[in-house]
């Protein structure tokens, strides 16, 4: 069964304290892995798409990487405005998209 | 560029009542999705439209949920009758084409079934 597992469920960091969020997946024929940011009361906002192992993408303080079994979202020197829930999703060979439960990130000033 | 519009933002109903949600996608976007997001979980796809045709509705509880997309633009999602477990946020998203393109989400409709 296709599955996406995100860890940790919640993470509290001090401002400037770098860390990584994990997204592990088991899917038949990965056709894309997506990272989204979701703020309270809002819909998810697209961050990155990764298609193949070894691929990396960066945007400001965020960097996403992909291996054959997992993806990491690295956050470098985070600021309070980076506080949000980060969602990972995968698209399988049958084109179905599956979201993980997300990681709630809280950056303390 | 205007984003995906959804209404209402909030809805409270009693179980066994009916409810409908409306979505207006970004202009020119051919693909429209409805997701259900239960508190503390990720979004779950209910139905995907390509223009006004259904591409995937495998996770839509068809005994109580229905959706349509008239003229390939606006869409409505209906629940009839509602159950307690339908309490969730219903998100609409659109993209230029199918999965390869970025999905843009609306703010969602928060449904509480009492």
């Amino acid at each position: 069964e296709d599955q996406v597992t995100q860890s940790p469920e919640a993470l509290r960091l001090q401002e400037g304290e770098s860390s990584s969020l994990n997204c592990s997946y088991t899917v038949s024929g990965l056709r894309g892995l997506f990272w989204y940011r979701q703020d309270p009361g809002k819909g998810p906002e697209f961050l990155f798409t990764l298609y193949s192992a070894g691929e990396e993408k960066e945007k400001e303080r965020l960097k996403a990487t992909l291996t054959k079994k997992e993806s990491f979202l690295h956050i470098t020197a985070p600021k309070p405005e980076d506080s949000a829930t980060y969602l990972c999703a995968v698209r399988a060979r049958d084109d179905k998209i599956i979201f993980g439960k997300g990681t709630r990130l809280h950056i303390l000033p | 560029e205007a984003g995906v519009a959804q209404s209402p933002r909030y809805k409270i109903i009693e179980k066994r009542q009916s409810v409908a949600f409306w979505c207006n996608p970004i202009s020119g976007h051919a693909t429209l999705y409805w997701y259900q997001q239960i508190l503390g979980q990720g979004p779950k796809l209910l139905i995907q439209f390509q223009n006004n045709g259904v591409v995937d509705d495998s996770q839509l509880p068809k005994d109580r949920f229905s959706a349509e997309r008239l003229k390939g633009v606006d869409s409505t999602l209906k629940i009839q009758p509602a159950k307690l477990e339908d309490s969730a946020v219903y998100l609409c998203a659109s993209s230029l084409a199918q999965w390869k393109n970025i999905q843009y989400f609306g703010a969602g409709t928060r449904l509480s079934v009492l």
Side-chain angles (χ1 to χ4, degrees):
Chain A
E1 182 185 342
D2 296 335
Q3 222 170 13
V4 176
T5 304
Q6 291 190 245
S7 61
E9 288 187 11
L11 182 61
R12 293 167 69 92
L13 300 171
Q14 289 293 136
E15 183 174 1
E17 181 184 0
S18 301
S19 187
S20 298
L21 313 182
N22 178 264
C23 172
S24 298
Y25 62 90
T26 52
V27 64
S28 53
L30 181 72
R31 300 187 71 176
L33 184 141
F34 310 87
W35 282 100
Y36 289 86
R37 169 191 171 129
Q38 187 171 26
D39 292 296
K42 296 189 177 181
E45 177 187 348
F46 173 79
L47 293 173
F48 304 108
T49 306
L50 301 167
Y51 292 105
S52 56
E55 191 175 356
E56 298 182 353
K57 288 193 177 172
E58 284 187 70
K59 179 182 178 180
E60 296 180 354
R61 296 177 292 281
L62 300 176
K63 178 180 176 181
T65 62
L66 180 64
T67 72
K68 288 187 178 180
K69 293 182 179 180
E70 58 191 350
S71 176
F72 291 94
L73 184 66
H74 307 277
I75 302 177
T76 302
K79 298 182 178 181
E81 53 262 41
D82 295 322
S83 297
T85 294
Y86 290 85
L87 294 165
C88 170
V90 298
R91 184 166 72 102
R93 185 184 295 125
D94 60 1
D95 273 344
K96 285 199 173 13
I97 189 161
I98 304 163
F99 276 84
K101 292 185 178 182
T103 293
R104 295 188 311 278
L105 178 65
H106 188 86
I107 309 298
L108 303 167
Chain B
E1 178 182 79
V4 176
Q6 290 188 247
S7 67
R9 285 299 315 275
Y10 306 93
K11 191 73 177 179
I12 301 174
I13 61 172
E14 294 188 352
K15 60 183 180 184
R16 292 187 288 274
Q17 285 188 324
S18 301
V19 65
F21 313 125
W22 174 81
C23 173
N24 180 235
I26 293 173
S27 177
H29 281 196
T31 311
L32 185 146
Y33 316 81
W34 282 103
Y35 289 87
Q36 179 193 59
Q37 186 173 24
I38 293 172
L39 187 65
Q41 306 214 355
K44 172 186 148 185
L45 179 69
L46 294 176
I47 189 167
Q48 178 191 348
F49 291 94
Q50 179 70 16
N51 295 310
N52 60 350
V54 175
V55 173
D56 180 5
D57 63 356
S58 57
Q59 298 193 91
L60 186 74
K62 297 180 185 65
D63 58 334
R64 298 184 301 107
F65 286 64
S66 64
E68 60 181 5
R69 189 181 184 196
L70 299 175
K71 300 180 182 178
V73 183
D74 293 5
S75 178
T76 56
L77 176 69
K78 297 179 182 177
I79 307 175
Q80 180 179 12
K83 293 185 176 181
L84 297 176
E85 58 260 36
D86 298 332
S87 295
V89 174
Y90 290 85
L91 295 163
C92 178
S94 69
S95 65
L96 274 173
Q98 291 199 44
W99 297 115
K100 193 169 184 178
N101 293 99
I102 296 170
Q103 291 184 59
Y104 295 88
F105 284 82
T109 296
R110 181 177 297 278
L111 174 67
S112 296
V113 183
L114 306 178

